[in-house]
mmCIF file of all heavy atoms in Angstrom:
data_model
loop_
_atom_site.group_PDB
_atom_site.id
_atom_site.type_symbol
_atom_site.label_atom_id
_atom_site.label_comp_id
_atom_site.label_asym_id
_atom_site.label_seq_id
_atom_site.Cartn_x
_atom_site.Cartn_y
_atom_site.Cartn_z
ATOM 1 N N ASN A 972 47.578 119.629 61.478
ATOM 2 C CA ASN A 972 47.748 119.123 62.880
ATOM 3 C C ASN A 972 48.902 119.776 63.622
ATOM 4 O O ASN A 972 48.847 119.859 64.852
ATOM 5 C CB ASN A 972 47.886 117.630 62.933
ATOM 6 C CG ASN A 972 48.015 117.070 64.288
ATOM 7 O OD1 ASN A 972 49.146 116.823 64.770
ATOM 8 N ND2 ASN A 972 46.921 117.029 65.092
ATOM 9 N N ASP A 973 49.858 120.278 62.851
ATOM 10 C CA ASP A 973 51.070 120.824 63.509
ATOM 11 C C ASP A 973 50.982 122.292 63.852
ATOM 12 O O ASP A 973 51.942 122.897 64.284
ATOM 13 C CB ASP A 973 52.285 120.633 62.719
ATOM 14 C CG ASP A 973 52.191 121.186 61.293
ATOM 15 O OD1 ASP A 973 51.195 121.722 60.953
ATOM 16 O OD2 ASP A 973 53.194 121.223 60.497
ATOM 17 N N GLU A 974 49.788 122.910 63.703
ATOM 18 C CA GLU A 974 49.667 124.410 64.062
ATOM 19 C C GLU A 974 49.061 124.490 65.459
ATOM 20 O O GLU A 974 48.482 123.564 66.114
ATOM 21 C CB GLU A 974 48.732 124.928 63.015
ATOM 22 C CG GLU A 974 49.302 125.039 61.631
ATOM 23 C CD GLU A 974 48.505 125.812 60.676
ATOM 24 O OE1 GLU A 974 47.713 126.702 61.117
ATOM 25 O OE2 GLU A 974 48.669 125.675 59.505
ATOM 26 N N ARG A 975 49.341 125.732 65.948
ATOM 27 C CA ARG A 975 48.820 126.088 67.317
ATOM 28 C C ARG A 975 47.641 127.062 67.142
ATOM 29 O O ARG A 975 47.696 128.121 66.480
ATOM 30 C CB ARG A 975 49.899 126.772 68.137
ATOM 31 C CG ARG A 975 49.403 127.329 69.539
ATOM 32 C CD ARG A 975 50.629 127.883 70.217
ATOM 33 N NE ARG A 975 50.174 128.538 71.533
ATOM 34 C CZ ARG A 975 49.960 128.011 72.718
ATOM 35 N NH1 ARG A 975 50.036 126.696 72.774
ATOM 36 N NH2 ARG A 975 49.664 128.668 73.721
ATOM 37 N N ILE A 976 46.475 126.636 67.584
ATOM 38 C CA ILE A 976 45.369 127.500 67.472
ATOM 39 C C ILE A 976 44.744 127.822 68.782
ATOM 40 O O ILE A 976 44.857 127.088 69.821
ATOM 41 C CB ILE A 976 44.245 126.854 66.581
ATOM 42 C CG1 ILE A 976 43.656 125.609 67.150
ATOM 43 C CG2 ILE A 976 44.773 126.547 65.207
ATOM 44 C CD1 ILE A 976 42.479 125.089 66.403
ATOM 45 N N ILE A 977 44.082 129.007 68.890
ATOM 46 C CA ILE A 977 43.394 129.402 70.162
ATOM 47 C C ILE A 977 41.919 129.708 69.785
ATOM 48 O O ILE A 977 41.673 130.461 68.859
ATOM 49 C CB ILE A 977 44.076 130.641 70.691
ATOM 50 C CG1 ILE A 977 45.481 130.323 71.176
ATOM 51 C CG2 ILE A 977 43.222 131.200 71.915
ATOM 52 C CD1 ILE A 977 46.261 131.447 71.775
ATOM 53 N N THR A 978 41.024 129.072 70.530
ATOM 54 C CA THR A 978 39.594 129.358 70.334
ATOM 55 C C THR A 978 39.084 130.236 71.438
ATOM 56 O O THR A 978 39.450 130.196 72.644
ATOM 57 C CB THR A 978 38.805 128.046 70.265
ATOM 58 O OG1 THR A 978 38.820 127.444 71.616
ATOM 59 C CG2 THR A 978 39.380 127.040 69.274
ATOM 60 N N ILE A 979 38.188 131.183 71.060
ATOM 61 C CA ILE A 979 37.674 132.118 72.014
ATOM 62 C C ILE A 979 36.170 132.096 71.805
ATOM 63 O O ILE A 979 35.678 132.408 70.692
ATOM 64 C CB ILE A 979 38.206 133.564 71.711
ATOM 65 C CG1 ILE A 979 39.775 133.534 71.916
ATOM 66 C CG2 ILE A 979 37.560 134.575 72.621
ATOM 67 C CD1 ILE A 979 40.456 134.770 71.451
ATOM 68 N N GLU A 980 35.430 131.902 72.918
ATOM 69 C CA GLU A 980 33.963 131.752 72.828
ATOM 70 C C GLU A 980 33.290 132.341 74.052
ATOM 71 O O GLU A 980 33.844 132.386 75.156
ATOM 72 C CB GLU A 980 33.572 130.270 72.688
ATOM 73 C CG GLU A 980 34.150 129.564 71.458
ATOM 74 C CD GLU A 980 33.843 128.089 71.612
ATOM 75 O OE1 GLU A 980 32.770 127.778 71.115
ATOM 76 O OE2 GLU A 980 34.639 127.308 72.080
ATOM 77 N N ASP A 981 32.036 132.734 73.835
ATOM 78 C CA ASP A 981 31.117 133.138 74.947
ATOM 79 C C ASP A 981 30.860 131.961 75.820
ATOM 80 O O ASP A 981 30.977 131.899 77.108
ATOM 81 C CB ASP A 981 29.828 133.648 74.529
ATOM 82 C CG ASP A 981 29.902 135.246 74.451
ATOM 83 O OD1 ASP A 981 30.715 135.839 75.149
ATOM 84 O OD2 ASP A 981 29.192 135.823 73.693
ATOM 85 N N SER A 982 30.391 130.857 75.163
ATOM 86 C CA SER A 982 30.154 129.540 75.855
ATOM 87 C C SER A 982 30.906 128.549 74.939
ATOM 88 O O SER A 982 30.561 128.407 73.748
ATOM 89 C CB SER A 982 28.713 129.191 75.908
ATOM 90 O OG SER A 982 28.076 130.104 76.751
ATOM 91 N N ALA A 983 31.714 127.745 75.596
ATOM 92 C CA ALA A 983 32.557 126.752 74.818
ATOM 93 C C ALA A 983 31.670 125.721 74.034
ATOM 94 O O ALA A 983 30.936 124.946 74.674
ATOM 95 C CB ALA A 983 33.515 126.081 75.751
ATOM 96 N N GLU A 984 31.575 125.817 72.756
ATOM 97 C CA GLU A 984 30.806 124.933 71.940
ATOM 98 C C GLU A 984 31.633 124.160 70.895
ATOM 99 O O GLU A 984 31.235 123.084 70.373
ATOM 100 C CB GLU A 984 29.765 125.683 71.225
ATOM 101 C CG GLU A 984 28.699 126.368 72.121
ATOM 102 C CD GLU A 984 27.948 127.407 71.364
ATOM 103 O OE1 GLU A 984 28.144 127.664 70.225
ATOM 104 O OE2 GLU A 984 27.018 128.007 72.065
ATOM 105 N N LEU A 985 32.737 124.742 70.428
ATOM 106 C CA LEU A 985 33.538 124.153 69.385
ATOM 107 C C LEU A 985 34.181 122.823 69.843
ATOM 108 O O LEU A 985 34.494 122.627 70.975
ATOM 109 C CB LEU A 985 34.611 125.086 68.966
ATOM 110 C CG LEU A 985 34.180 126.400 68.298
ATOM 111 C CD1 LEU A 985 35.391 127.283 68.074
ATOM 112 C CD2 LEU A 985 33.486 126.103 66.944
ATOM 113 N N GLN A 986 34.111 121.836 68.893
ATOM 114 C CA GLN A 986 34.658 120.519 69.164
ATOM 115 C C GLN A 986 35.725 120.197 68.150
ATOM 116 O O GLN A 986 35.500 119.430 67.253
ATOM 117 C CB GLN A 986 33.527 119.475 69.162
ATOM 118 C CG GLN A 986 32.416 119.770 70.044
ATOM 119 C CD GLN A 986 31.140 118.938 69.694
ATOM 120 O OE1 GLN A 986 30.464 119.179 68.736
ATOM 121 N NE2 GLN A 986 30.938 117.909 70.477
ATOM 122 N N ILE A 987 36.889 120.848 68.333
ATOM 123 C CA ILE A 987 37.971 120.710 67.333
ATOM 124 C C ILE A 987 38.869 119.556 67.863
ATOM 125 O O ILE A 987 39.502 119.668 68.873
ATOM 126 C CB ILE A 987 38.717 122.001 67.159
ATOM 127 C CG1 ILE A 987 37.811 123.109 66.688
ATOM 128 C CG2 ILE A 987 39.921 121.803 66.166
ATOM 129 C CD1 ILE A 987 38.405 124.424 66.664
ATOM 130 N N SER A 988 38.881 118.521 67.061
ATOM 131 C CA SER A 988 39.717 117.323 67.519
ATOM 132 C C SER A 988 40.912 117.014 66.571
ATOM 133 O O SER A 988 41.671 116.159 66.918
ATOM 134 C CB SER A 988 38.773 116.078 67.585
ATOM 135 O OG SER A 988 38.151 115.892 66.351
ATOM 136 N N SER A 989 40.967 117.790 65.451
ATOM 137 C CA SER A 989 42.061 117.544 64.450
ATOM 138 C C SER A 989 43.369 118.155 64.788
ATOM 139 O O SER A 989 44.339 117.798 64.249
ATOM 140 C CB SER A 989 41.558 118.022 63.134
ATOM 141 O OG SER A 989 41.304 119.366 63.184
ATOM 142 N N VAL A 990 43.357 119.040 65.819
ATOM 143 C CA VAL A 990 44.627 119.768 66.200
ATOM 144 C C VAL A 990 45.000 119.458 67.627
ATOM 145 O O VAL A 990 44.117 119.509 68.508
ATOM 146 C CB VAL A 990 44.478 121.325 66.022
ATOM 147 C CG1 VAL A 990 45.700 122.038 66.458
ATOM 148 C CG2 VAL A 990 44.106 121.659 64.582
ATOM 149 N N ASP A 991 46.283 119.111 67.853
ATOM 150 C CA ASP A 991 46.738 118.734 69.255
ATOM 151 C C ASP A 991 47.025 120.004 70.067
ATOM 152 O O ASP A 991 46.748 120.113 71.204
ATOM 153 C CB ASP A 991 47.939 117.869 69.131
ATOM 154 C CG ASP A 991 47.667 116.497 68.537
ATOM 155 O OD1 ASP A 991 46.474 116.050 68.707
ATOM 156 O OD2 ASP A 991 48.564 115.975 67.886
ATOM 157 N N ASN A 992 47.663 120.964 69.388
ATOM 158 C CA ASN A 992 48.118 122.217 70.124
ATOM 159 C C ASN A 992 47.044 123.202 70.067
ATOM 160 O O ASN A 992 47.068 124.193 69.312
ATOM 161 C CB ASN A 992 49.451 122.725 69.412
ATOM 162 C CG ASN A 992 50.144 123.769 70.309
ATOM 163 O OD1 ASN A 992 49.597 124.175 71.350
ATOM 164 N ND2 ASN A 992 51.312 124.120 69.884
ATOM 165 N N ILE A 993 46.090 123.132 70.941
ATOM 166 C CA ILE A 993 44.907 123.925 71.005
ATOM 167 C C ILE A 993 44.699 124.501 72.406
ATOM 168 O O ILE A 993 44.811 123.840 73.404
ATOM 169 C CB ILE A 993 43.635 123.138 70.468
ATOM 170 C CG1 ILE A 993 42.435 124.083 70.525
ATOM 171 C CG2 ILE A 993 43.376 121.924 71.342
ATOM 172 C CD1 ILE A 993 41.236 123.515 69.798
ATOM 173 N N VAL A 994 44.379 125.786 72.455
ATOM 174 C CA VAL A 994 44.076 126.452 73.742
ATOM 175 C C VAL A 994 42.595 126.940 73.596
ATOM 176 O O VAL A 994 42.294 127.704 72.590
ATOM 177 C CB VAL A 994 44.984 127.655 73.986
ATOM 178 C CG1 VAL A 994 44.593 128.463 75.293
ATOM 179 C CG2 VAL A 994 46.472 127.209 74.104
ATOM 180 N N ARG A 995 41.797 126.613 74.590
ATOM 181 C CA ARG A 995 40.359 127.024 74.531
ATOM 182 C C ARG A 995 40.097 128.032 75.624
ATOM 183 O O ARG A 995 40.397 127.758 76.850
ATOM 184 C CB ARG A 995 39.499 125.753 74.758
ATOM 185 C CG ARG A 995 39.714 124.682 73.681
ATOM 186 C CD ARG A 995 38.909 123.466 73.997
ATOM 187 N NE ARG A 995 37.555 123.630 73.744
ATOM 188 C CZ ARG A 995 36.559 123.077 74.395
ATOM 189 N NH1 ARG A 995 36.792 122.304 75.445
ATOM 190 N NH2 ARG A 995 35.289 123.326 74.170
ATOM 191 N N LEU A 996 39.645 129.212 75.175
ATOM 192 C CA LEU A 996 39.314 130.274 76.137
ATOM 193 C C LEU A 996 37.813 130.548 76.203
ATOM 194 O O LEU A 996 37.202 130.478 75.117
ATOM 195 C CB LEU A 996 40.080 131.545 75.834
ATOM 196 C CG LEU A 996 41.616 131.416 75.692
ATOM 197 C CD1 LEU A 996 42.251 132.717 75.236
ATOM 198 C CD2 LEU A 996 42.253 130.964 77.023
ATOM 199 N N GLU A 997 37.300 130.945 77.267
ATOM 200 C CA GLU A 997 35.884 131.200 77.443
ATOM 201 C C GLU A 997 35.630 132.446 78.282
ATOM 202 O O GLU A 997 36.376 132.701 79.277
ATOM 203 C CB GLU A 997 35.136 129.988 78.092
ATOM 204 C CG GLU A 997 33.623 130.122 78.222
ATOM 205 C CD GLU A 997 33.059 128.920 78.895
ATOM 206 O OE1 GLU A 997 33.576 128.386 79.959
ATOM 207 O OE2 GLU A 997 32.014 128.375 78.323
ATOM 208 N N THR A 998 34.658 133.251 77.877
ATOM 209 C CA THR A 998 34.450 134.513 78.675
ATOM 210 C C THR A 998 33.858 134.161 80.024
ATOM 211 O O THR A 998 33.455 133.091 80.315
ATOM 212 C CB THR A 998 33.390 135.341 77.972
ATOM 213 O OG1 THR A 998 32.174 134.662 77.800
ATOM 214 C CG2 THR A 998 33.859 135.781 76.532
ATOM 215 N N ARG A 999 33.873 135.206 80.894
ATOM 216 C CA ARG A 999 33.337 135.019 82.241
ATOM 217 C C ARG A 999 32.494 136.264 82.525
ATOM 218 O O ARG A 999 32.854 137.386 82.316
ATOM 219 C CB ARG A 999 34.398 134.840 83.285
ATOM 220 C CG ARG A 999 33.976 134.534 84.701
ATOM 221 C CD ARG A 999 35.125 134.354 85.661
ATOM 222 N NE ARG A 999 35.807 135.551 85.899
ATOM 223 C CZ ARG A 999 36.933 135.665 86.578
ATOM 224 N NH1 ARG A 999 37.506 134.584 86.998
ATOM 225 N NH2 ARG A 999 37.544 136.878 86.810
ATOM 226 N N ASN A 1000 31.265 135.936 83.159
ATOM 227 C CA ASN A 1000 30.415 137.074 83.563
ATOM 228 C C ASN A 1000 30.921 137.764 84.836
ATOM 229 O O ASN A 1000 31.648 137.098 85.612
ATOM 230 C CB ASN A 1000 28.959 136.515 83.777
ATOM 231 C CG ASN A 1000 28.370 136.188 82.433
ATOM 232 O OD1 ASN A 1000 28.779 136.471 81.424
ATOM 233 N ND2 ASN A 1000 27.175 135.474 82.576
ATOM 234 N N ALA A 1001 30.493 138.966 85.154
ATOM 235 C CA ALA A 1001 30.815 139.554 86.357
ATOM 236 C C ALA A 1001 30.143 138.874 87.527
ATOM 237 O O ALA A 1001 29.107 138.249 87.346
ATOM 238 C CB ALA A 1001 30.384 141.051 86.300
ATOM 239 N N ASN A 1002 30.793 138.966 88.751
ATOM 240 C CA ASN A 1002 30.195 138.317 89.808
ATOM 241 C C ASN A 1002 29.112 139.213 90.493
ATOM 242 O O ASN A 1002 28.728 140.225 89.844
ATOM 243 C CB ASN A 1002 31.333 137.986 90.937
ATOM 244 C CG ASN A 1002 32.036 139.321 91.421
ATOM 245 O OD1 ASN A 1002 31.537 140.488 91.260
ATOM 246 N ND2 ASN A 1002 33.219 139.157 91.938
ATOM 247 N N THR A 1003 28.567 138.782 91.606
ATOM 248 C CA THR A 1003 27.429 139.497 92.141
ATOM 249 C C THR A 1003 27.884 141.016 92.531
ATOM 250 O O THR A 1003 26.931 141.897 92.699
ATOM 251 C CB THR A 1003 26.930 138.768 93.379
ATOM 252 O OG1 THR A 1003 28.024 138.507 94.252
ATOM 253 C CG2 THR A 1003 26.257 137.526 93.006
ATOM 254 N N GLU A 1004 29.100 141.267 92.682
ATOM 255 C CA GLU A 1004 29.505 142.585 93.012
ATOM 256 C C GLU A 1004 29.852 143.427 91.821
ATOM 257 O O GLU A 1004 30.307 144.558 91.767
ATOM 258 C CB GLU A 1004 30.796 142.560 93.922
ATOM 259 C CG GLU A 1004 30.569 141.841 95.295
ATOM 260 C CD GLU A 1004 31.839 141.659 95.988
ATOM 261 O OE1 GLU A 1004 32.872 141.938 95.447
ATOM 262 O OE2 GLU A 1004 31.727 141.132 97.173
ATOM 263 N N GLY A 1005 29.615 142.779 90.587
ATOM 264 C CA GLY A 1005 29.939 143.487 89.360
ATOM 265 C C GLY A 1005 31.360 143.450 88.900
ATOM 266 O O GLY A 1005 31.737 144.191 88.013
ATOM 267 N N LYS A 1006 32.147 142.549 89.539
ATOM 268 C CA LYS A 1006 33.591 142.487 89.213
ATOM 269 C C LYS A 1006 33.929 141.121 88.599
ATOM 270 O O LYS A 1006 33.188 140.170 88.703
ATOM 271 C CB LYS A 1006 34.405 142.725 90.512
ATOM 272 C CG LYS A 1006 34.214 144.093 91.128
ATOM 273 C CD LYS A 1006 35.010 144.224 92.459
ATOM 274 C CE LYS A 1006 34.807 145.541 93.107
ATOM 275 N NZ LYS A 1006 35.555 145.677 94.369
ATOM 276 N N GLY A 1007 35.111 141.085 87.987
ATOM 277 C CA GLY A 1007 35.677 139.870 87.538
ATOM 278 C C GLY A 1007 35.211 139.453 86.117
ATOM 279 O O GLY A 1007 35.510 138.336 85.656
ATOM 280 N N GLU A 1008 34.591 140.411 85.327
ATOM 281 C CA GLU A 1008 34.047 140.056 83.982
ATOM 282 C C GLU A 1008 35.269 139.914 83.089
ATOM 283 O O GLU A 1008 36.232 140.711 83.125
ATOM 284 C CB GLU A 1008 33.110 141.038 83.483
ATOM 285 C CG GLU A 1008 32.579 140.805 82.140
ATOM 286 C CD GLU A 1008 31.733 141.869 81.457
ATOM 287 O OE1 GLU A 1008 31.742 142.951 82.011
ATOM 288 O OE2 GLU A 1008 30.965 141.557 80.497
ATOM 289 N N ILE A 1009 35.284 138.876 82.241
ATOM 290 C CA ILE A 1009 36.339 138.718 81.187
ATOM 291 C C ILE A 1009 35.546 138.648 79.877
ATOM 292 O O ILE A 1009 34.769 137.767 79.601
ATOM 293 C CB ILE A 1009 37.137 137.396 81.325
ATOM 294 C CG1 ILE A 1009 37.703 137.332 82.809
ATOM 295 C CG2 ILE A 1009 38.163 137.241 80.298
ATOM 296 C CD1 ILE A 1009 38.806 138.247 83.011
ATOM 297 N N THR A 1010 35.854 139.586 78.938
ATOM 298 C CA THR A 1010 35.158 139.707 77.692
ATOM 299 C C THR A 1010 35.906 139.043 76.525
ATOM 300 O O THR A 1010 37.092 138.799 76.669
ATOM 301 C CB THR A 1010 34.902 141.177 77.438
ATOM 302 O OG1 THR A 1010 36.178 141.790 77.141
ATOM 303 C CG2 THR A 1010 34.150 141.958 78.456
ATOM 304 N N ILE A 1011 35.203 138.927 75.430
ATOM 305 C CA ILE A 1011 35.922 138.373 74.307
ATOM 306 C C ILE A 1011 37.028 139.318 73.815
ATOM 307 O O ILE A 1011 38.064 138.831 73.364
ATOM 308 C CB ILE A 1011 34.871 138.184 73.081
ATOM 309 C CG1 ILE A 1011 34.055 136.904 73.392
ATOM 310 C CG2 ILE A 1011 35.579 138.098 71.768
ATOM 311 C CD1 ILE A 1011 33.092 136.490 72.276
ATOM 312 N N ARG A 1012 36.792 140.702 73.906
ATOM 313 C CA ARG A 1012 37.879 141.633 73.594
ATOM 314 C C ARG A 1012 39.072 141.386 74.430
ATOM 315 O O ARG A 1012 40.196 141.356 73.868
ATOM 316 C CB ARG A 1012 37.402 143.132 73.859
ATOM 317 C CG ARG A 1012 36.251 143.550 72.930
ATOM 318 C CD ARG A 1012 36.177 145.012 72.929
ATOM 319 N NE ARG A 1012 37.241 145.652 72.204
ATOM 320 C CZ ARG A 1012 37.327 146.933 72.023
ATOM 321 N NH1 ARG A 1012 36.567 147.820 72.606
ATOM 322 N NH2 ARG A 1012 38.381 147.456 71.355
ATOM 323 N N GLN A 1013 38.958 141.128 75.643
ATOM 324 C CA GLN A 1013 40.131 140.873 76.564
ATOM 325 C C GLN A 1013 40.764 139.603 76.107
ATOM 326 O O GLN A 1013 41.999 139.454 76.152
ATOM 327 C CB GLN A 1013 39.678 140.843 78.064
ATOM 328 C CG GLN A 1013 39.231 142.199 78.561
ATOM 329 C CD GLN A 1013 38.599 142.051 79.909
ATOM 330 O OE1 GLN A 1013 37.577 141.341 80.147
ATOM 331 N NE2 GLN A 1013 39.253 142.632 80.952
ATOM 332 N N LEU A 1014 40.022 138.567 75.874
ATOM 333 C CA LEU A 1014 40.609 137.269 75.510
ATOM 334 C C LEU A 1014 41.286 137.346 74.223
ATOM 335 O O LEU A 1014 42.341 136.696 73.999
ATOM 336 C CB LEU A 1014 39.476 136.211 75.461
ATOM 337 C CG LEU A 1014 38.821 135.844 76.727
ATOM 338 C CD1 LEU A 1014 37.754 134.851 76.574
ATOM 339 C CD2 LEU A 1014 39.867 135.302 77.827
ATOM 340 N N ILE A 1015 40.809 138.101 73.218
ATOM 341 C CA ILE A 1015 41.540 138.236 71.899
ATOM 342 C C ILE A 1015 42.892 138.867 72.157
ATOM 343 O O ILE A 1015 43.913 138.452 71.565
ATOM 344 C CB ILE A 1015 40.725 139.030 70.908
ATOM 345 C CG1 ILE A 1015 39.457 138.230 70.442
ATOM 346 C CG2 ILE A 1015 41.534 139.363 69.658
ATOM 347 C CD1 ILE A 1015 38.524 138.986 69.574
ATOM 348 N N LYS A 1016 42.877 139.977 72.984
ATOM 349 C CA LYS A 1016 44.186 140.618 73.214
ATOM 350 C C LYS A 1016 45.143 139.685 73.988
ATOM 351 O O LYS A 1016 46.313 139.709 73.675
ATOM 352 C CB LYS A 1016 43.884 141.886 74.069
ATOM 353 C CG LYS A 1016 43.131 143.072 73.282
ATOM 354 C CD LYS A 1016 42.695 144.202 74.193
ATOM 355 C CE LYS A 1016 42.064 145.236 73.419
ATOM 356 N NZ LYS A 1016 41.449 146.303 74.240
#
């Protein structure tokens, strides 16, 4: 419980309740202009 974890997903599905210090990140598709995409690679970095 005392660890800090970061989850990275295409669509947020994980249900981790045992850890308090948790950051949840989710990818984002590009908008209609083809901009603003956030990939898993970018989130890992």
Side-chain angles (χ1 to χ4, degrees):
N972 179 261
D973 60 352
E974 293 188 17
R975 175 175 171 82
I976 65 172
I977 295 179
T978 67
I979 299 169
E980 302 173 83
D981 265 336
S982 293
E984 298 165 356
L985 294 173
Q986 301 166 286
I987 300 171
S988 55
S989 58
V990 178
D991 295 328
N992 193 351
I993 181 170
V994 176
R995 303 175 72 212
L996 303 178
E997 184 181 48
T998 62
R999 186 176 71 188
N1000 290 350
N1002 60 21
T1003 51
E1004 298 172 355
K1006 298 177 181 178
E1008 182 184 18
I1009 305 292
T1010 65
I1011 285 186
R1012 292 198 75 178
Q1013 291 172 295
L1014 292 177
I1015 291 175
K1016 289 173 183 174

